[in-house]
Amino acid sequence: MEISKTRAAVSGAAAGLINGLMGAGGGMILVPLLVRWCGLEDKHAFATAISIILPLSVVSIVVYALRAPLPFSDAWPYLAGGLAGGLLGGLLFKRMSANLLHKLLGAFILWGGVQLLLR
């Protein structure tokens, strides 16, 4: 299936904007855009979103580093945990159905939204 380059670019820009504003979370908007607007198959959209998040995060790190000091010493435990969780998630990805992945993503978005509203 041929994906519109314009739709793909707008989807990437939306994910980059969210990632840049909030430091993460671009995948929460990118997966639904890739599935519903760009027409990607579900699991392909999840894998594509994951591959896009690293470059977006690197760009965000550079922008933040140019504007303010980054507390890398505070981040190391999270980076180690994130690496372990990413490896585990990558191994589990093949075993999970697209339907379950959507439900998990929706649950995490809902949980995160409720946590932010309760602050």
Side-chain angles (χ1 to χ4, degrees):
M1 172 182 206
E2 183 68 26
I3 298 170
S4 161
K5 291 184 194 262
T6 302
R7 286 184 178 201
V10 170
S11 297
L17 177 67
I18 297 299
N19 197 66
L21 284 173
M22 299 177 195
M28 290 186 290
I29 192 164
L30 192 55
V31 170
L33 283 173
L34 291 175
V35 170
R36 293 202 176 104
W37 202 45
C38 294
L40 288 182
E41 182 265 323
D42 293 353
K43 285 190 109 174
H44 189 89
F46 278 99
T48 301
I50 292 298
S51 69
I52 292 169
I53 297 307
L54 176 63
L56 291 177
S57 295
V58 169
V59 169
S60 294
I61 288 170
V62 170
V63 171
Y64 283 114
L66 292 173
R67 300 202 178 265
L70 293 173
F72 282 113
S73 60
D74 295 341
W76 287 117
Y78 300 103
L79 291 170
L83 178 62
L87 290 171
L88 179 61
L91 293 172
L92 292 174
F93 179 77
K94 284 186 174 183
R95 297 177 183 211
M96 293 183 160
S97 70
N99 187 32
L100 178 58
L101 288 169
H102 279 287
K103 288 179 180 177
L104 286 172
L105 178 62
F108 282 123
I109 292 170
L110 186 61
W111 178 77
V114 168
Q115 294 300 310
L116 288 172
L117 289 173
L118 295 176
R119 287 184 141 213

